[in-house]
Amino acid sequence: MRRQRLDGQVAVITGAARGVGELLARKLSARGARVALVGLEPEELKRVGGRLYTENDWWQADVTDHEAMARVASEVKARFGKADIVVANAGVASGGPFADSDPASWRRVIEVNLIGSAITGRAFLPVLTESRGYFLQIASLAAIVPAPLMSAYCASKSGVEAFAHGLRAEVAHRGVRVGVAYLSWTDTDMVRGADRDEVMRETRARLPWPANRTYPAGPAVDRIVAGIERRSAHVYGQRWLRSTQAVRGLLPPLVAAAGRREMARLGPRVADVSQRLVGPGGAADEAAREPG
């Protein structure tokens, strides 16, 4: 599609306190969009809002809470009069072998990344239908190439990809467009947090090029912004990711063969991988769920 001007449009971003969400808010604001920030960390959301160029506001909410997100959607409409763009970006990650994983952490990754995205979509679909707007789901290379030691994250990102594709077919006749954005390893707090674990850092470094690189967030988010302007069905934060779509059916056997060798090489060291949610965002999610 031809690019749409973002001046005056209202963009809602979940997981907006840091990383891709924060940078996306800044870049959309620089193009004239008004921004609704959603996340778990009030002070960080205030900080992000204070650096934007246009009218904005923030909401503290857990994307896995349907009532909270329905309230946010209602209040965003009351505050801005509409919502044109909703980006389901909130996400957490954990690593390590599935057999030894902490069931609560594993489940939380699925809840935030997959269920939280669906709850976000459900809450905002009425206002997006009114505006004939755009819902963008942030996915990952992990949706295309599931990898060992990342079972929860890969399952969640494969799930959100399928969710977005199914939703696109359901709402297109109502004027709502749905896109999926794919990112490889991007320089965010989440990736830096995962790299603090020696086994995860070493395993990632042994991936084949170009999947073993960490990519700067700026160019990736620029491509997401361009995808939003075009209401694209698919957005690739790194250009080479587009080519993986053509061969994705061939990749699971290759990953299985390489993974078998890698797991044998690592041996008992895989048991040392931290089972907690990674990075400051993961810590914020854990803190928000602590009793009291």
Side-chain angles (χ1 to χ4, degrees):
M1 290 184 64
R2 183 178 301 172
R3 290 195 182 195
Q4 297 187 22
R5 290 180 59 86
L6 297 179
D7 286 340
Q9 293 198 24
V10 176
V12 181
I13 304 170
T14 67
R18 60 184 70 252
V20 167
E22 175 185 358
L23 187 54
L24 181 59
R26 288 165 54 190
K27 289 180 179 286
L28 291 177
S29 175
R31 286 163 174 78
R34 295 178 287 166
V35 182
L37 308 165
V38 183
L40 291 174
E41 303 168 87
E43 294 305 316
E44 292 299 316
L45 293 170
K46 291 177 188 176
R47 177 187 60 81
V48 174
R51 300 179 66 182
L52 301 186
Y53 309 97
T54 52
E55 182 183 5
N56 65 86
D57 209 338
W58 60 271
W59 282 262
Q60 181 182 9
D62 184 335
V63 294
T64 68
D65 184 334
H66 175 72
E67 291 184 358
M69 290 303 293
R71 172 183 55 79
V72 170
S74 176
E75 292 179 2
V76 166
K77 182 180 178 182
R79 171 70 170 80
F80 294 104
K82 61 176 182 173
D84 302 286
I85 302 152
V86 174
V87 183
N89 168 72
V92 294
S94 65
F98 173 72
D100 300 323
S101 63
D102 172 52
S105 293
W106 201 96
R107 181 187 182 101
R108 186 60 181 172
V109 174
I110 302 296
E111 288 175 343
V112 174
N113 298 4
L114 175 55
I115 306 303
S117 292
I119 287 174
T120 300
R122 186 185 300 277
F124 280 96
L125 267 179
V127 288
L128 287 177
T129 300
E130 291 177 4
S131 66
R132 300 178 69 86
Y134 180 62
F135 180 84
L136 180 63
Q137 174 64 59
I138 303 297
S140 169
L141 173 62
I144 301 172
V145 192
L149 302 183
M150 296 174 56
S151 60
Y153 190 76
C154 292
S156 70
K157 291 303 183 178
S158 295
V160 296
E161 179 192 42
F163 162 67
H165 288 330
L167 182 63
R168 180 186 302 127
E170 291 182 16
V171 299
H173 72 288
R174 298 162 68 182
V176 179
R177 294 184 176 271
V178 178
V180 182
Y182 300 89
L183 296 171
S184 185
W185 303 95
T186 303
D187 187 20
T188 63
D189 288 343
M190 180 187 289
V191 171
R192 289 191 292 271
D195 278 351
R196 292 192 181 97
D197 188 289
E198 181 182 355
V199 171
M200 296 299 291
R201 182 175 67 251
E202 178 183 327
T203 301
R204 189 163 75 84
R206 290 171 61 86
L207 292 172
W209 184 89
N212 60 352
R213 286 188 54 196
T214 298
Y215 294 86
V221 175
D222 284 338
R223 294 186 184 105
I224 293 174
V225 171
I228 290 172
E229 290 174 327
R230 295 189 178 100
R231 304 301 199 250
S232 298
H234 300 91
V235 182
Y236 298 96
Q238 291 80 29
R239 288 192 178 91
W240 61 269
L241 286 171
R242 184 185 299 273
S243 64
T244 64
Q245 295 283 23
V247 296
R248 64 187 296 173
L250 305 175
L251 296 175
L254 298 177
V255 171
R260 181 177 181 178
R261 293 192 299 270
E262 189 67 8
M263 293 303 99
R265 184 188 68 81
L266 289 169
R269 293 176 61 205
V270 297
D272 296 331
V273 177
S274 172
Q275 298 181 14
R276 303 193 67 171
L277 301 180
V278 303
D285 185 89
E286 291 177 344
R289 291 180 289 117
E290 289 179 355

